[in-house]
Amino acid sequence: MFRRKIQIHLSKNVLDLYKNVYQIHFCEYSNQKVNGRMRVLNVAEKNDAAKNIAGHLSGGNLQRREGFSKFNKIYEFSHSFQGTPSTMIMTSVSGHLLGYEFQGSYRSWSSCSPLELFDLPVVKECPKDYLDIKKTLEREVRSCNALVIWTDADREGENIGFEIIDVCREVNPRIDVYRAILSEITRPSVQRAITNLGPPNKNVSDAVDVRSELDLRIGAAFTRYQTMRLQKVFPDILAKSLISYGSCQFPTLGFVVERYKDIQNFIPEQFWKIKVNHKIENLDVEFSWQRVRLFDETFCRVLFERCQENPTAIVLKVTKKPKSKWRPVPLDTIELEKAASRKLGINAKETMKIAEKLYSQGFISYPRTETNIFPKELNLSNLVQLQTEDNNWGDFAQTVLNDGPSPRQGKKTDQAHPPIHPTKYTQGLQDRERKVYEYVVRHFLACLSKDAEGEETIVNIEINDEKFLANGLRIIALNYLEVYPYDRWSNKQIHNYHQGQSFMPTGLEMTDGYTCAPNLLTEADLISLMDKHGIGTDATHAEHIETIKSRLYVGLENNKYFIPGELGIGLVEGYDNMGFEMSKPHLRAELEADLKKICEGIKSPVMVLREQIAKYKEVFIKTTEQVEKLDQSLGKYLRAQPVAFQNNGQHESMFRKNIRKCPSCNQAVLALKQKQNNQGFYITCLGYPACRTTFWLPPTVVNAEVTDNVCNQCPGDIKLIKFQFSVRSMRPHYQDIHEGCINGCDSTICEILGVNISRPSPSSSNTHSSNRNVTSSQNRGPVRENNIPRPTNNIQRTSIIQPLNDQVCCQCGDGAKLLTVTRETPNKGRQFYGCSKPISAPDRCNFFLWADDQPVATGHQAQFNNRSNTQNNNRPMNNSYRARPGNNQSNSGQRKCGLCKQTGHTRRNCPRN
């Protein structure tokens, strides 16, 4: 009634304002329209793209306003969305909005063993530098009914799109999400995209997530291990160096090292050959020997002398045939990178940076594509028409229009983007941007033109049974070469010979030479090898090459040829000496093939992640076992003697084995650790602090080690633990050294140790402090969670039932279990009876009786020692049972408790506390 009265008195405008404010600021997650109009949030990958897309959709009628990030503007305009007049809000991110990271303290290099990084949980979160962009999205999406993703239509773009979706749905869970696909930022393409929206592709995004998580785990584990070890092994040289590893980075380095070693190990071999010349006037024609060359000087000399005996040459055959120089196929990313490196003198990384800028400005199509086939629906004539006004290639473009564009198609397509081509004509570019744009235009016109035409003449001659040949070329029509100066084709003149003709050579000689080593790799050669072996993608080749350059693993000779540095070649040779092909492309190529299967929906991302982590983890463990070979190899190339180094600078063993998956968080694993003061052991979840599950082992465990053996009773490949107990503390149940399972299948050892790792503990995965009265251990580690139910503080009174056969039974009526006190007290080694049910059973009674007490049929009272989780010295408690001694024990000479007047404990430890 009150709300109705307010609506009567308020004007319509005030009510509309109230609705807007309520929906925007109080996050009303409904799909109701604001002011009768849809509000649609559009997000592009970069600000330039957002600006141009908004300009095309709005026809230039838009308003610009600021977001929280000064680099990512907001453009607001009106446009029809799915047939409904709508308010469109266009903004952008700056590449990836979220990134994978380890949790909490595990980002610190000294926090854990690098081996643990293969299993520790990771989170995908927003870096600090991008929080302003995230805040802009959260603010704008609150009032919107729909979200349209305009990121690049490749794997990375799809993943960035889902990062945007995740951020927006945190604020507005019910928002509708659409995907716009663009290959070029032109008005027709943008209008076509907004009218043909579809769903985002989760499979493609999952593939990127798998690759990103693997890169983090593998890179972090190897990089930390290499760096921390080698800084200590070579303190004078590498003390301040970051020695990184990446599963794409190392194979890329491996190609450079392999070629360099081929050259270093190359042994020149002398050869001999026969050469014939025929010179008339100023034209000297050289005939090549059909045997090419011989490595036997004597045999070659015999053949040469035979030619000298009768040196007259007879023309056996003259062949004239058409010769074509093929025009290029449509341009894809790899060819653009290679061509720019070879022909423009611009490295791959800079080329892609320029190409992306040209794309964002609408001058060329999307530059990251594996396609070299023009789709039939692409209007090539219109694109050629745009170039006819240029002074340099306009006439050629007009010729292509007159003849009709006839592309030479390639054989590759990614079913996503067309080949790279110009989308708009411009004269306003400068320097490298102009070079790259001009190359794209000239390549585009060339591939639509005709092959260069010529006539080739081949002349075969014979001199005393030895055969030789020469060829000539006459160019008839340059065709595509008129616009494509990056290719060369020259006339090669030859005399006019005819079949059966004989002539006397003007030169007949035997020459020698030496075989040559291959050249060092250029950037174009390196990209070709990466593409051939499946290392990285067209989007990441330049990045991997730049990484090995920045790490000083490789350098450039004559600013062109790659040569490995001392550190790079030492690392590769060290790993090769271990027998691992870490510098070879096989491991990474397998991953790239699996990622493709994820994109196609053939393979599960969880399965790929699990398989790949297992492969690299096994390599890592074996690497640490032979790491001295890495020291020796680096010592040779660094010309330094390795410093003896036994440990890895971590507080944990490199070879820790995991016991099982954590039952609480179901993400990380449980591992056995030793306290910092080496005074005991505990089992903890490696997901700390997100998961605080911890099981403390009692002091009777003087040593513990996780074995490779698996429990044959528990499912899930639970590892057995080899315990060493204090002398005779586990008798008669177990020997002092015992290998067993504490996952619940052996209730005896679980009950004695007070540990059962099969059950999650309440709030163990909660990162905030619990309200329970739980005290940390002295080393301020994770909160103790032994999953063992504790009795209440009230002392339990129980009746002992003595059956006719004299077997001791508990109050449940079952036979009691005989146990032994193991704690260092006057009662150590003393036996007692307890309930036989598992300690975790909810109906387990608290029966207790010293074994040397005389059982009484009824009325005898026993106490179960109930202590807090920690002792007075803040050390974890021993979960063995304690109680006051029986009445038949002599108390003389022993200190008595000040509360209950019994021996065996003090007032602080009294069960009545």
Side-chain angles (χ1 to χ4, degrees):
M1 178 64 73
F2 178 73
R3 184 177 177 183
R4 188 173 181 182
K5 288 180 180 179
I6 291 177
Q7 289 179 347
I8 292 173
H9 290 88
L10 290 177
S11 66
K12 184 178 183 300
N13 291 337
V14 175
L15 279 175
D16 290 342
L17 178 62
Y18 171 80
K19 291 178 182 177
N20 288 345
V21 171
Y22 182 80
Q23 188 165 12
I24 293 173
H25 296 286
F26 292 92
C27 200
E28 178 65 38
Y29 299 124
S30 67
N31 285 338
Q32 297 175 356
K33 301 172 184 177
V34 180
N35 285 334
R37 292 174 65 89
M38 288 275 289
R39 289 179 62 85
V40 182
L41 178 62
N42 300 264
V43 187
E45 194 165 319
K46 290 184 174 62
N47 184 67
D48 282 351
K51 178 182 178 181
N52 286 297
I53 293 170
H56 290 313
L57 288 176
S58 66
N61 186 19
L62 54 79
Q63 292 181 339
R64 193 187 84 170
R65 54 189 173 90
E66 297 296 321
F68 288 102
S69 169
K70 63 181 180 180
F71 304 108
N72 303 85
K73 310 301 181 182
I74 301 171
Y75 306 92
E76 192 165 331
F77 53 93
S78 296
H79 192 276
S80 175
F81 181 77
Q82 296 189 331
T84 303
S86 305
T87 298
M88 306 288 275
I89 302 164
M90 172 68 73
T91 188
S92 63
V93 291
S94 296
H96 279 282
L97 183 61
L98 308 177
Y100 279 103
E101 264 295 355
F102 292 106
Q103 293 182 337
S105 62
Y106 292 111
R107 299 180 189 184
S108 168
W109 282 34
S110 60
S111 62
C112 63
S113 162
L115 181 62
E116 295 177 19
L117 299 176
F118 287 99
D119 301 303
L120 288 172
V122 295
V123 292
K124 200 172 188 183
E125 60 185 20
C126 183
K128 291 182 180 179
D129 294 345
Y130 292 85
L131 287 176
D132 286 343
I133 299 174
K134 183 172 180 282
K135 286 170 63 179
T136 299
L137 293 180
E138 291 171 339
R139 182 187 68 185
E140 297 300 324
V141 79
R142 291 181 189 276
S143 61
C144 291
N145 314 99
L147 171 66
V148 181
I149 303 298
W150 292 85
T151 52
D152 297 343
D154 59 3
R155 284 188 192 176
E156 297 297 324
E158 206 70 27
N159 190 251
I160 294 170
F162 272 92
E163 291 170 2
I164 296 167
I165 293 168
D166 291 343
V167 168
C168 291
R169 278 187 167 160
E170 281 290 320
V171 177
N172 191 343
R174 295 170 59 186
I175 196 165
D176 296 325
V177 178
Y178 303 89
R179 181 70 162 102
I181 303 295
L182 278 178
S183 293
E184 56 188 52
I185 302 180
T186 59
R187 188 181 302 276
S189 181
V190 171
Q191 292 289 355
R192 185 165 53 247
I194 196 66
T195 56
N196 293 279
L197 298 173
N201 191 325
K202 188 68 166 61
N203 289 340
V204 174
S205 179
D206 286 344
V208 178
D209 279 338
V210 168
R211 192 259 308 153
S212 299
E213 183 175 338
L214 280 172
D215 285 349
L216 173 65
R217 293 185 184 279
I218 296 166
F222 278 96
T223 298
R224 291 187 189 184
Y225 179 65
Q226 287 180 169
T227 301
M228 289 190 290
R229 178 182 178 83
L230 295 177
Q231 282 180 346
K232 292 178 173 62
V233 173
F234 300 99
D236 297 333
I237 302 174
L238 302 177
K240 297 182 179 180
S241 298
L242 173 66
I243 307 159
S244 65
Y245 174 87
S247 56
C248 276
Q249 176 190 136
F250 246 56
T252 304
L253 170 62
F255 292 132
V256 177
V257 172
E258 184 176 19
R259 176 61 62 89
Y260 177 79
K261 283 194 166 186
D262 287 344
I263 295 171
Q264 293 295 309
N265 299 330
F266 182 81
I267 301 175
E269 191 174 359
Q270 190 174 12
F271 62 84
W272 292 265
K273 66 179 181 179
I274 302 173
K275 186 172 69 172
V276 175
N277 288 82
H278 186 211
K279 184 176 182 179
I280 302 176
E281 296 179 350
N282 294 325
L283 180 60
D284 190 0
V285 177
E286 181 177 327
F287 288 82
S288 58
W289 194 18
Q290 283 195 341
R291 295 182 188 267
V292 184
R293 60 190 179 186
L294 293 176
F295 293 94
D296 187 327
E297 181 184 8
T298 302
F299 183 38
C300 186
R301 187 166 297 281
V302 169
L303 296 178
F304 172 67
E305 290 175 352
R306 191 168 69 177
C307 289
Q308 284 184 317
E309 292 173 1
N310 183 14
T312 302
I314 300 174
V315 178
L316 299 178
K317 182 170 62 172
V318 177
T319 305
K320 293 188 177 182
K321 62 180 181 179
K323 179 74 171 179
S324 296
K325 186 170 181 63
W326 289 354
R327 64 198 186 278
V329 297
L331 187 62
D332 61 20
T333 303
I334 292 173
E335 288 305 314
L336 174 61
E337 291 175 331
K338 293 194 296 185
S341 179
R342 286 173 176 160
K343 300 169 183 178
L344 306 181
I346 306 175
N347 65 48
K349 182 179 180 180
E350 182 68 15
T351 297
M352 293 314 299
K353 183 179 179 180
I354 294 169
E356 287 173 355
K357 185 175 181 180
L358 294 174
Y359 163 71
S360 297
Q361 294 172 337
F363 294 133
I364 67 172
S365 62
Y366 188 59
R368 298 193 185 277
T369 176
E370 300 176 12
T371 300
N372 56 12
I373 302 172
F374 281 120
K376 295 179 180 179
E377 61 271 15
L378 187 63
N379 194 323
L380 298 174
S381 296
N382 287 348
L383 296 173
V384 174
Q385 180 67 47
L386 296 173
Q387 303 298 327
T388 55
E389 60 182 283
D390 187 83
N391 295 329
N392 296 312
W393 55 77
D395 292 340
F396 188 86
Q398 187 60 53
T399 301
V400 172
L401 277 180
N402 296 339
D403 295 340
S406 177
R408 177 191 168 202
Q409 302 284 41
K411 297 181 179 180
K412 299 187 301 180
T413 178
D414 57 13
Q415 303 295 329
H417 300 286
I420 304 168
H421 60 271
T423 56
K424 185 166 64 175
Y425 175 70
T426 180
Q427 289 180 315
L429 301 174
Q430 300 294 326
D431 301 326
R432 293 190 168 191
E433 290 182 12
R434 179 188 57 79
K435 282 186 176 182
V436 173
Y437 176 76
E438 180 176 340
Y439 177 79
V440 171
V441 173
R442 288 184 180 275
H443 190 104
F444 172 68
L445 295 175
C447 73
L448 300 181
S449 180
K450 298 176 181 178
D451 298 333
E453 299 175 10
E455 183 183 68
E456 184 180 34
T457 301
I458 301 174
V459 179
N460 297 83
I461 66 170
E462 180 183 77
I463 301 177
N464 205 6
D465 294 333
E466 286 304 306
K467 294 179 173 57
F468 303 83
L469 64 85
N471 55 33
L473 175 66
R474 181 172 66 90
I475 297 176
I476 299 173
L478 287 171
N479 292 333
Y480 89 92
L481 290 172
E482 294 179 20
V483 78
Y484 201 70
Y486 315 105
D487 281 355
R488 303 291 184 201
W489 206 36
S490 303
N491 285 309
K492 184 180 179 183
Q493 294 182 336
I494 192 171
H495 299 309
N496 189 18
Y497 297 100
H498 57 271
Q499 188 172 344
Q501 174 187 351
S502 62
F503 62 88
M504 185 63 66
T506 55
L508 177 62
E509 59 180 329
M510 175 179 164
T511 62
D512 66 340
Y514 289 87
T515 54
C516 297
N519 290 326
L520 292 166
L521 295 176
T522 63
E523 185 175 53
D525 298 331
L526 192 51
I527 291 172
S528 296
L529 287 171
M530 295 170 73
D531 180 49
K532 176 182 177 181
H533 293 281
I535 300 302
T537 65
D538 55 356
T540 60
H541 290 154
E543 178 185 338
H544 300 316
I545 293 173
E546 197 63 28
T547 299
I548 62 173
K549 287 166 63 178
S550 64
R551 295 284 184 264
L552 302 181
Y553 291 165
V554 300
L556 287 178
E557 186 178 87
N558 299 327
N559 205 32
K560 181 178 180 181
Y561 296 102
F562 282 98
I563 185 168
E566 297 166 340
L567 184 57
I569 193 171
L571 288 171
V572 170
E573 187 175 290
Y575 283 114
D576 287 347
N577 290 341
M578 295 179 196
F580 307 131
E581 295 187 331
M582 292 173 63
S583 63
K584 300 298 186 289
H586 314 303
L587 274 176
R588 184 67 190 203
E590 290 175 7
L591 171 60
E592 294 292 347
D594 280 346
L595 295 180
K596 188 174 182 181
K597 291 178 180 178
I598 293 175
C599 293
E600 295 168 352
I602 299 174
K603 206 162 184 179
S604 161
V606 176
M607 180 185 300
V608 171
L609 191 62
R610 183 170 61 245
E611 291 173 353
Q612 292 293 329
I613 288 176
K615 286 180 185 178
Y616 279 97
K617 186 176 180 180
E618 181 181 2
V619 171
F620 182 87
I621 293 173
K622 291 180 179 178
T623 296
T624 59
E625 294 170 352
Q626 306 181 59
V627 72
E628 291 79 10
K629 294 181 179 178
L630 187 63
D631 302 342
Q632 295 164 7
S633 175
L634 278 168
K636 179 175 69 174
Y637 288 101
L638 296 175
R639 295 178 290 278
Q641 185 66 30
V643 175
F645 184 60
Q646 299 300 322
N647 58 65
N648 298 287
Q650 279 85 50
H651 60 78
E652 296 293 340
S653 168
M654 282 298 305
F655 307 106
R656 177 185 299 138
K657 299 182 179 69
N658 300 320
I659 304 172
R660 60 156 294 170
K661 201 168 189 178
C662 176
S664 296
C665 65
N666 204 32
Q667 292 183 354
V669 293
L670 297 179
L672 177 68
K673 292 188 177 184
Q674 192 170 11
K675 297 178 188 177
Q676 289 184 353
N677 56 9
N678 295 327
Q679 298 296 316
F681 295 83
Y682 64 100
I683 296 168
T684 186
C685 176
L686 296 184
Y688 178 84
C691 180
R692 295 175 177 266
T693 298
T694 303
F695 306 88
W696 298 98
L697 297 178
T700 50
V701 179
V702 296
N703 195 17
E705 177 185 350
V706 180
T707 70
D708 292 323
N709 300 327
V710 176
C711 178
N712 55 13
Q713 297 184 41
C714 297
D717 296 334
I718 311 299
K719 296 290 179 63
L720 300 182
I721 300 177
K722 184 177 181 181
F723 294 101
Q724 180 180 346
F725 302 108
S726 55
V727 178
R728 301 180 60 84
S729 62
M730 298 295 283
R731 304 291 177 86
H733 302 286
Y734 304 104
Q735 299 296 320
D736 292 344
I737 296 179
H738 172 72
E739 185 175 297
C741 174
I742 55 173
N743 195 54
C745 60
D746 186 347
S747 59
T748 302
I749 194 170
C750 288
E751 189 168 355
I752 295 174
L753 298 181
V755 173
N756 186 338
I757 63 173
S758 66
R759 297 179 180 85
S761 57
S763 72
S764 58
S765 61
N766 187 2
T767 59
H768 300 288
S769 300
S770 171
N771 290 327
R772 293 173 298 165
N773 184 21
V774 181
T775 308
S776 301
S777 68
Q778 192 174 23
N779 63 7
R780 306 185 68 85
V783 175
R784 176 175 185 236
E785 296 285 357
N786 276 14
N787 292 339
I788 305 298
R790 303 291 184 189
T792 62
N793 287 334
N794 297 327
I795 299 176
Q796 302 295 320
R797 305 289 180 178
T798 59
S799 297
I800 302 173
I801 303 173
Q802 182 71 17
L804 295 178
N805 59 4
D806 290 334
Q807 179 184 4
V808 177
C809 293
C810 64
Q811 65 191 69
C812 301
D814 299 327
K817 182 182 294 185
L818 183 65
L819 301 170
T820 304
V821 176
T822 59
R823 188 166 178 78
E824 295 292 338
T825 67
N827 287 321
K828 181 178 178 180
R830 193 175 175 189
Q831 293 183 325
F832 63 95
Y833 290 99
C835 183
S836 60
K837 293 181 180 178
I839 200 164
S840 57
D843 57 343
R844 185 181 188 278
C845 69
N846 292 329
F847 170 78
F848 176 88
L849 177 67
W850 289 115
D852 49 6
D853 276 357
Q854 293 296 325
V856 183
T858 60
H860 184 81
Q861 297 176 344
Q863 297 179 349
F864 182 87
N865 180 28
N866 177 47
R867 295 177 297 164
S868 63
N869 286 348
T870 57
Q871 294 184 23
N872 302 323
N873 60 0
N874 260 355
R875 292 184 179 178
M877 66 166 283
N878 181 2
N879 290 307
S880 59
Y881 295 92
R882 295 189 58 205
R884 61 181 177 84
N887 295 331
N888 62 337
Q889 298 295 313
S890 173
N891 297 335
S892 60
Q894 297 187 27
R895 182 179 178 181
K896 296 182 180 180
C897 171
L899 185 63
C900 66
K901 308 304 180 183
Q902 300 294 325
T903 60
H905 61 266
T906 64
R907 185 185 188 96
R908 290 181 178 180
N909 300 342
C910 183
R912 297 185 180 181
N913 279 337

